[in-house]
Amino acid sequence: MRRSMIFALALSAAAFSQQVSAHAHLKNQYPAANASVEASPQALTLTFSEDIEPAFSGVEVTAGSQVVPLAKAERAPKQHNQLIVPLAKPLTSGQYQVSWHVLSVDGHKTKGNYTFSVK
Ligand SMILES: [Cu+2]
């Protein structure tokens, strides 16, 4: 291979690995995305690939056009990549959309959404 081509490949590999490791991506969540749970959870738990800043991270839960009341989202005391969002009151049966946004400790913002339902 020509040197310039090797250099270009190395550069794109570095850029790619930085993008993958640097941001807080949602790794898993409870209730799980697309899950149908038997009863209302007491809290939503979102676990990210990186530690997060709780002051600049949050979740909104909606059921159709209704906004679900939540208690203040908090970072798990011993797991700084986990956001715990207590529900102000139990969820009735139906489908819920969760929209999350977090600021990771490296200063990057990410957001996303998923749905789950309560039977
Ligand atoms: Cu980042």
Side-chain angles (χ1 to χ4, degrees):
M1 274 196 284
R2 289 170 55 190
R3 273 188 72 170
S4 61
M5 196 173 157
I6 293 168
F7 180 73
L9 281 173
L11 203 67
S12 64
F16 181 71
S17 65
Q18 201 169 29
Q19 200 170 31
V20 166
S21 65
H23 295 52
H25 296 284
L26 185 60
K27 274 202 313 187
N28 58 66
Q29 68 293 117
Y30 177 82
N34 304 315
S36 184
V37 294
E38 292 291 338
S40 176
Q42 292 189 326
L44 307 185
T45 304
L46 291 84
T47 308
F48 297 90
S49 58
E50 304 286 323
D51 289 356
I52 56 158
E53 294 288 357
F56 302 99
S57 303
V59 166
E60 188 185 62
V61 180
T62 52
S65 57
Q66 301 273 79
V67 177
V68 173
L70 304 171
K72 191 174 183 292
E74 288 185 18
R75 191 170 65 176
K78 288 180 182 168
Q79 206 177 330
H80 290 177
N81 65 336
Q82 193 172 74
L83 194 64
I84 298 169
V85 189
L87 295 162
K89 55 182 185 181
L91 300 175
T92 55
S93 69
Q95 194 176 47
Y96 294 90
Q97 168 136 11
V98 182
S99 300
W100 58 267
H101 68 275
V102 296
L103 178 69
S104 92
V105 290
D106 70 1
H108 292 134
K109 290 177 179 176
T110 46
K111 61 181 180 177
N113 57 73
Y114 61 92
T115 60
F116 71 91
S117 56
V118 177
K119 285 179 186 166

